[in-house]
Amino acid sequence: PFHNPSTPEEAVQNQLHYYQTYQLNRAYQCCSPSNREATGGIDEFERLLKEPPYDLIVGHQRADVLLEVVPGDNIILSLNENGEESESGMLDDHGNVVCCLVCIRPNGKARKKYPVWFWWEMSKMGQIMELEEEEDTMTRNEWMVDSIMPDFEDLDFETESLSIEDFGEEEDGDDGDDLTIYWDFDE
């Protein structure tokens, strides 16, 4: 793993390493405070990783970060003295929120033998730290995992309330700008 990950991909690679080597406590430490709060602690985190589709991540054979996407209108989040997130305001296009598409190849004992894809949503967290030798402080920015979501195309659906519509296909062939919209009609 990277000792001081400076990019979203390095932070994702660190967490993937911890998942692969069953170091779930360290994988949990890569999660942002809001992710930890939503998860409900390390015991609940470990329980969630035993359930589909997340069970395919732990002990995986191989994982590759395939793509980084930087959404617009980025907001920087900072950790206050209580370790809680707070918004510092709108940022320019420095990319403080990033989504990474990861291809996971489960190990041979997994319930699925073929690759699956997940999105890692990352944010750059600024943490203010006091320096011991001086009366000064410094800000350390690090990428943290806000959520991991299975790629929509790879999910096994057990619902009849989902409609899938494809747009953008030319009659004479594929123009490469296809759009798939998923409509959920559950009431």
Side-chain angles (χ1 to χ4, degrees):
F2 297 92
H3 293 293
N4 293 309
S6 60
T7 67
E9 181 179 357
E10 289 176 357
V12 170
Q13 292 287 358
N14 276 4
Q15 192 178 47
L16 287 167
H17 170 77
Y18 299 138
Y19 282 132
Q20 185 180 37
T21 58
Y22 299 92
Q23 298 179 58
L24 301 183
N25 193 36
R26 292 189 118 180
Y28 183 74
Q29 296 303 316
C30 297
C31 297
S32 69
S34 62
N35 188 353
R36 291 182 203 174
E37 183 178 331
T39 302
I42 185 68
D43 293 334
E44 184 65 14
F45 180 75
E46 289 178 359
R47 187 192 67 74
L48 290 171
L49 290 171
K50 293 177 183 173
E51 308 235 350
Y54 301 102
D55 60 326
L56 300 172
I57 297 173
V58 178
H60 63 269
Q61 180 181 29
R62 179 179 170 171
D64 298 295
V65 179
L66 304 175
L67 176 70
E68 270 186 29
V69 178
V70 180
D73 294 332
N74 290 313
I75 302 172
I76 191 163
L77 299 173
S78 58
L79 301 179
N80 63 20
E81 59 275 353
N82 298 327
E84 299 166 342
E85 293 177 11
S86 62
E87 288 184 11
S88 300
M90 300 304 287
L91 288 182
D92 52 23
D93 55 40
H94 290 287
N96 291 290
V97 176
V98 172
C99 292
C100 295
L101 180 62
V102 177
C103 177
I104 303 276
R105 290 168 181 82
N107 67 40
K109 297 176 184 176
R111 62 184 170 79
K112 289 188 178 182
K113 306 298 182 218
Y114 53 86
V116 292
W117 290 264
F118 289 87
W119 285 98
W120 256 251
E121 183 180 335
M122 311 290 292
S123 61
K124 188 180 268 188
M125 305 296 291
Q127 186 169 12
I128 300 172
M129 300 177 300
E130 293 183 23
L131 302 175
E132 290 182 19
E133 297 177 10
E134 304 170 20
E135 300 266 336
D136 209 358
T137 61
M138 67 175 259
T139 302
R140 184 181 85 194
N141 291 319
E142 62 182 320
W143 288 99
M144 300 190 87
V145 180
D146 290 324
S147 65
I148 300 173
M149 299 161 287
D151 186 56
F152 224 99
E153 298 276 334
D154 196 47
L155 287 176
D156 293 330
F157 288 106
E158 296 180 11
T159 181
E160 296 174 9
S161 65
L162 190 69
S163 172
I164 301 174
E165 298 182 32
D166 291 317
F167 299 93
E169 291 184 17
E170 298 283 330
E171 288 187 22
D172 59 347
D174 188 7
D175 68 355
D177 289 333
D178 297 346
L179 171 66
T180 303
I181 297 179
Y182 301 88
W183 303 93
D184 190 352
F185 293 101
D186 279 342
E187 296 176 25

